[in-house]
Amino acid sequence: MGLRGEPESRRAFSAADLAVGLGTLLLLYVAARVGSESFVRFSPPDVIPTISLDPRNLPNYAARSTLRMFIALALSTIFTFVYGYAAARSRRAEKVLVPLLDILQSVPVLGFLSVTVTLFIAMFRGSLLGLEAASIFAIFTGQAWNMTFSFYQSLRTVPHELNEMATLYGLSKWERFTRLELPSSLIGLVWNGMMSFGGGWFFLAASESISVLNRQYTLPGLGSYVASAIAARDLHAVGWAIVTMVVLVLLIDQLFWKPLVTIADRYKLELSAGEERRFWVVDLWRAASLPALFERMLGPSLHAVDRLLSHATRIEPQAERRVRSKAADRAFDVVVAISVLMMLAAAVRFVLASVGLAEVGHAALLGLATGARVVALLVFSTIVWTPIGVAIGFHPKLARLSQPLVQIFASFPANFLFPFATLVFIRFGIHLNWGSILLMALGAQWYLLFNVIGGAQAVPNELREMATSIGLRGVRKWKFLIGPSIFGSWVTGAITASGGAWNASIVAEIVSWGNTTLKAAGLGAYIADATAIGDWPRIVLGVGIMSIFVVTLNHIVWKPLYRLAQTRFQLS
């Protein structure tokens, strides 16, 4: 026991230190132990991993899948900061990066897998690490785009007066990023990170049980376990997998996402203090002296790095920035336009030489069918989940009660339930043309809900108090406070939900239970069939048509709405 007046850092370790220390060591041990299983020999078709449906293997499979998910999340976060910042802070980069992001989010996971699996296996020849890298990259493609859109939207909608204050105080780019832009975007980034993590679970089966180019690759994990159980028509094994998934989601929510949401709430842009969020993991961390000890050890080095980056990113005077020639901007636009036209010409030539105009028309009609399902999903999600998201975001107590349920629904891989949905469709004679809308909604509607929750939580308390004091209620409150406040977040959610729905169509428009397969008329099923048999012309055609639909929708609908959010509905 420490003496009275003794500094906090010199007191004896407490139970909180023991819990934090042992928890950290256990986490590092599990990560190292599970990670070491990725370095075994892999030489298809002679030496390949196998999946056992014995439920006793589920803890190991769950740990391996979780490690892949968190590695992909770390890579997605780095990508988000670099890509989103470049798109928001450079006019030239924005002209290329935002449309490219539209295309990337429209490319289905199977489209990435068909290209990357062989490449990664060749890079790590003879080791399972190559297939692990391909799986992690596929999960990354299910996480990164949503997070990047959220961060980009947050940077573009930072209140003008805060930007002016940063300019007035002469903050460097690094200081502006760490003191203003990152804190102001943290709430939306955390909620979208949570949703993106759920999106990664949705494509886990496709990322671990890979069937591309007439070859089957399987990685031990929870997704491949479910895929094997479905192929074997083993409802018992599927049930055990669902129980494992629910437990896993609850653990991750308690130990990772809820602490992040609690911390992010401290960075809300407001003048009056609202109800402070508290959570037991955060309280435990703050009660321990070990984190403070490491902070004191690393603090001087981190401070030195911060000063170095601040000095290296000083903003040049306004007079020097005006010297830039408009001719350079025009030349940049011309180069980009020529490059795009050349790539489009090459793609069109490849497709027409291989499949012909009739096939292009057929794929376009299938794209219209899938597009109609996406629109129906967006309308349904907006009507149902927008008021629910606002209620959760405005009421901390409701958020504490509902977050575990929302996290389970959003993070739970909806395609784990597809076998039961398939049996229901078969039993009641429901055609998959209609049933696929429900299956797509199970995986995509949560993007809109999570963005609305994040947008509602970011509304300053003083605005809510003012609305209450002047008697705003019902429709008037939605018109003058709630609608304008969450509009930017809703647009981001709708964009990512749209992209998620197009992506989800790959697994929602063709479902199987044993030897029984149901198929909807749509572009998702078209791409899935082409990928399974390795039909490259049709893979390129399907992915290209899907990209055209998504990019066109973004330019006609979402880009004007983004501009409206930036110009009329900022919290300034």
Side-chain angles (χ1 to χ4, degrees), residues 472-539:
L472 280 182
R473 291 183 180 87
V475 176
R476 287 174 59 82
K477 187 174 183 180
W478 274 88
K479 180 179 179 180
F480 294 108
L481 173 65
I482 298 175
S485 299
I486 68 168
F487 185 73
S489 298
W490 176 85
V491 173
T492 300
I495 290 175
T496 51
S498 174
W502 282 101
N503 230 323
S505 68
I506 304 297
V507 293
E509 291 182 347
I510 178 169
V511 293
S512 300
W513 175 247
N515 295 324
T516 303
T517 299
L518 301 181
K519 187 182 298 185
L523 197 56
Y526 180 89
I527 295 173
D529 283 339
T531 303
I533 63 175
D535 190 339
W536 273 108
R538 285 174 174 78
I539 292 175

Side-chain angles (χ1 to χ4, degrees), residues 92 95-96 331-343:
R92 293 180 184 175
K95 294 176 182 178
V96 177
F332 177 81
D333 293 342
V334 170
V335 170
V336 170
I338 292 175
S339 301
V340 171
L341 289 175
M342 290 177 62
M343 287 188 289

Side-chain angles (χ1 to χ4, degrees), residues 330-385:
R330 295 195 189 97
F332 177 81
D333 293 342
V334 170
V335 170
V336 170
I338 292 175
S339 301
V340 171
L341 289 175
M342 290 177 62
M343 287 188 289
L344 285 176
V348 169
R349 182 179 178 183
F350 173 75
V351 170
L352 292 180
S354 305
V355 297
L357 279 175
E359 188 69 18
V360 173
H362 174 63
L365 289 175
L366 294 177
L368 288 174
T370 300
R373 296 184 184 106
V374 172
V375 171
L377 181 152
L378 288 176
V379 173
F380 168 82
S381 299
T382 298
I383 294 173
V384 173
W385 295 113

Side-chain angles (χ1 to χ4, degrees), residues 1-50:
M1 186 173 72
L3 299 175
R4 181 178 298 175
E6 185 178 6
E8 187 73 22
S9 60
R10 296 184 180 180
R11 294 178 186 173
F13 282 174
S14 63
D17 290 295
L18 183 63
V20 169
L22 289 178
T24 303
L25 290 175
L26 178 62
L27 182 64
L28 293 175
Y29 170 77
V30 171
R33 179 70 180 270
V34 172
S36 65
E37 298 180 25
S38 301
F39 293 90
V40 299
R41 186 164 174 256
F42 174 68
S43 181
D46 301 320
V47 182
I48 57 173
T50 57

